[in-house]
């Protein structure tokens, strides 16, 4: 039983925001321009991104609405009407509300009934977890099709007022770092047990992931203050947790270089296990959060003797920003829209995640 990606779609909220406009949307913390912004943006290479909040930091569209919009666009490009979707598999780092699961909220927005529902919660690789769940469901002949959606709305965490609630208004580098890295958006894929009736499909050859949470500490988190393992739920009140900085999105930048090593090691393991032939890879779609990491990955692969020429690499990071778990789906949709693929070409997808170092990989082949 083979599984095929037969349709894709994505949704980005609002207009593209350039680097000079970021603080117009997110606001100036304590009325002062950031001293770190320029340095971080130079490193990540991002030029424009999209936000679901406006200049008054008001949410213009919810996370579940963005996800539903991406899903609708995906279905509009397919031969499957919404009422024939059999499984809905959804991923996000955080939904609009803590409970119920994000998948339930997206299903309601899509107004589809009778689906098997699955929600993957995590960071960047949670989209691949949602995809793997749908893929294996179809492989097991439990469903004939599945709509897979990944969506992120990070900008609400980056309002200047969030940082101004911290006692002493002290913003450490790890708390500010991701303010200049992450943005909003959603992507969707339709999986079926048969190729498209017309045109080309992507056969999923395999999906694999390797978690290293047993080896590395937490690198990216929401819910714990600086230099502490205390949970935000352990504080006497929510306001105390906020004042301690426990509700800020943090990245332990000291650990970040490990993501390159674990990502490349997984790549080499898959090749050693003969899951694919590096010389036969036609296109590489890698979710790297920064131009800095792309060069590191390319260099490490070169040292290992398995370099893939840079002209085979595709990214939309610099125009779309880092949309977390939605990035790989948005990337795939835009890649398919901008490339004329021939039958037999192969795509290698790679999603390293720095949350606690989980790396996911996928191999696709173009079929007719």
């Amino acid at each position: 039983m083979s599984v095929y990606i037969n349709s894709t779609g994505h949704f980005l909220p609002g207009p593209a925001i350039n680097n000079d406009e970021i603080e117009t949307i997110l606001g100036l913390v304590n009325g002062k321009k950031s001293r770190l912004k320029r340095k971080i943006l130079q490193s990540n290479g991002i030029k424009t991104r999209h936000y679901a909040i406006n200049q008054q930091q008001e949410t213009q569209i919810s996370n579940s609405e963005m996800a539903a919009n991406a899903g609708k666009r995906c279905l509009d490009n397919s031969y499957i009407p919404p009422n024939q979707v059999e499984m809905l598999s959804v991923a996000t780092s955080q939904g609009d509300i803590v409970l119920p699961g994000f998948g339930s909220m997206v299903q309601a927005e899509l107004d589809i009934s009778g689906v098997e529902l699955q929600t993957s919660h995590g960071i960047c690789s949670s989209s691949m977890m949602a995809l793997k769940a749908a893929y294996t469901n179809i492989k097991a002949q439990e469903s004939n099709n599945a709509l897979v959606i990944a969506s992120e709305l990070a900008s609400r965490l980056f309002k200047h007022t969030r940082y101004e609630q911290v006692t002493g208004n002290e913003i450490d580098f790890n708390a500010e770092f991701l303010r200049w890295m992450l943005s909003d958006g959603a992507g969707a894929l339709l999986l079926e047990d048969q190729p498209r009736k017309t045109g080309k499909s992507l056969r999923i050859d395999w999906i694999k992931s390797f978690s290293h949470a047993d080896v590395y500490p937490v690198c990216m988190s929401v819910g714990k203050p600086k230099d502490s393992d205390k949970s935000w739920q352990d504080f006497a009140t929510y306001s105390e947790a906020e004042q301690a900085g426990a509700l800020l999105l943090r990245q332990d930048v000291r650990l970040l270089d490990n993501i390159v090593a674990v990502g490349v090691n997984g790549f080499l393991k898959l090749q050693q296990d003969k899951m694919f032939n590096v010389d036969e890879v036609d296109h590489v779609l890698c979710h790297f959060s920064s131009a800095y990491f792309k060069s590191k990955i390319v260099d490490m692969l070169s040292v290992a003797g398995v370099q893939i020429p840079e002209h085979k690499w595709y990214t939309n990071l610099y125009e779309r920003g880092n949309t977390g778990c939605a990035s790989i789906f948005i990337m795939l949709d835009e890649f398919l829209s901008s490339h004329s693929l021939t039958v037999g070409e192969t795509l290698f997808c790679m999603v390293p995640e720095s949350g606690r170092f989980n790396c996911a990989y996928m191999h696709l082949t173009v079929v007719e």
Side-chain angles (χ1 to χ4, degrees):
M1 170 67 69
S2 294
V3 181
Y4 305 87
I5 298 174
N6 284 347
S7 182
T8 60
H10 78 274
F11 176 83
L12 296 167
I17 304 299
N18 66 39
N19 291 346
D20 293 332
E21 298 173 308
I22 296 178
E23 286 178 300
T24 302
I25 304 296
L26 302 182
L28 300 173
V29 179
N30 298 316
K32 301 176 182 178
K33 289 188 175 183
S34 169
R35 293 181 295 177
L36 297 174
K37 170 189 164 186
R38 184 177 179 182
K39 177 182 178 181
I40 296 171
L41 288 171
Q42 283 179 336
S43 177
N44 66 33
I46 299 171
K47 303 299 181 185
T48 56
R49 76 284 294 147
H50 294 255
Y51 293 132
I53 63 173
N54 62 16
Q55 292 186 15
Q56 289 73 45
Q57 286 90 56
E58 299 166 333
T59 301
Q60 301 300 288
I61 183 170
S62 71
N63 199 6
S64 56
E65 288 173 327
M66 287 197 301
N69 282 341
K72 290 172 183 176
R73 291 182 179 182
C74 179
L75 291 176
D76 286 345
N77 294 327
S78 77
Y79 293 96
I80 299 291
N83 63 4
Q84 289 185 15
V85 173
E86 297 181 19
M87 181 182 186
L88 178 63
S89 187
V90 180
T92 191
S93 296
Q94 53 176 1
D96 301 299
I97 56 179
V98 178
L99 294 171
F102 188 57
S104 298
M105 308 305 290
V106 176
Q107 179 189 354
E109 290 290 343
L110 286 168
D111 193 24
I112 56 177
S113 61
V115 295
E116 182 169 349
L117 187 63
Q118 196 278 144
T119 297
S120 290
H121 172 68
I123 308 182
C124 297
S125 66
S126 62
S127 54
M128 296 293 280
M129 298 175 192
L131 182 60
K132 181 69 175 280
Y135 166 75
T136 53
N137 188 280
I138 295 174
K139 291 279 281 187
Q141 300 183 23
E142 293 289 328
S143 302
N144 295 315
N145 65 65
L147 180 60
V148 187
I149 307 174
S151 186
E152 298 281 26
L153 204 170
S155 60
R156 291 185 292 203
L157 287 173
F158 301 139
K159 301 174 186 180
H160 67 97
T161 50
R162 302 283 188 201
Y163 298 87
E164 291 166 353
Q165 298 306 306
V166 178
T167 300
N169 292 331
E170 292 289 337
I171 309 174
D172 58 277
F173 182 87
N174 288 351
E176 186 180 352
F177 178 75
L178 291 170
R179 199 175 193 229
W180 317 117
M181 299 286 288
L182 299 178
S183 51
D184 307 332
L189 311 178
L190 176 67
L191 275 53
E192 296 183 77
D193 60 359
Q194 299 290 332
R196 282 181 68 97
K197 296 177 181 178
T198 61
K200 298 182 179 69
S201 298
L202 296 176
R203 185 185 67 229
I204 301 177
D205 299 316
W206 49 260
I207 303 172
K208 294 284 289 183
S209 65
F210 306 104
S211 174
H212 306 274
D214 60 319
V215 178
Y216 296 99
V218 173
C219 181
M220 181 178 173
S221 66
V222 175
K224 70 187 196 74
K226 178 184 178 183
D227 300 327
S228 172
D229 289 329
K230 187 175 183 179
S231 167
W232 65 279
Q233 297 180 79
D234 292 327
F235 288 85
T237 64
Y238 294 144
S239 61
E240 287 184 27
E242 190 171 29
Q243 291 166 13
L247 301 185
L248 296 179
L249 182 58
R250 296 180 177 279
Q251 181 88 71
D252 190 336
V253 295
R254 298 168 301 177
L255 300 172
L256 267 181
D257 277 349
N258 292 311
I259 195 61
V260 177
V262 297
V264 171
N265 286 339
F267 181 99
L268 296 175
K269 174 176 171 53
L270 290 168
Q271 190 195 28
Q272 183 180 2
D273 292 344
K274 302 189 185 304
M275 297 292 291
F276 73 105
N277 185 336
V278 69
D279 296 325
E280 296 176 358
V281 172
D282 295 303
H283 306 280
V284 177
L285 279 66
C286 180
H287 165 58
F288 47 86
S289 60
S290 169
Y292 169 83
F293 292 115
K294 179 189 176 183
S295 61
K296 292 282 187 180
I297 293 171
V298 171
D299 289 346
M300 192 170 287
L301 288 175
S302 179
V303 170
V306 290
Q307 184 176 15
I308 300 176
E310 285 204 53
H311 72 267
K312 293 186 176 183
W313 292 66
Y314 172 84
T315 184
N316 60 357
L317 172 72
Y318 312 122
E319 298 81 25
R320 302 306 188 192
N322 178 0
T323 52
C325 73
S327 293
I328 191 66
F329 290 0
I330 297 172
M331 191 186 311
L332 186 57
D333 182 44
E334 294 198 320
F335 173 82
L336 294 175
S337 299
S338 59
H339 288 69
S340 180
L341 300 177
T342 58
V343 173
E345 285 190 86
T346 61
L347 286 69
F348 184 88
C349 301
M350 178 174 171
V351 183
E353 178 195 299
S354 64
R356 198 156 182 170
F357 301 100
N358 185 55
C359 296
Y361 311 82
M362 175 169 63
H363 193 275
L364 307 171
T365 300
V366 180
V367 299
E368 196 165 33

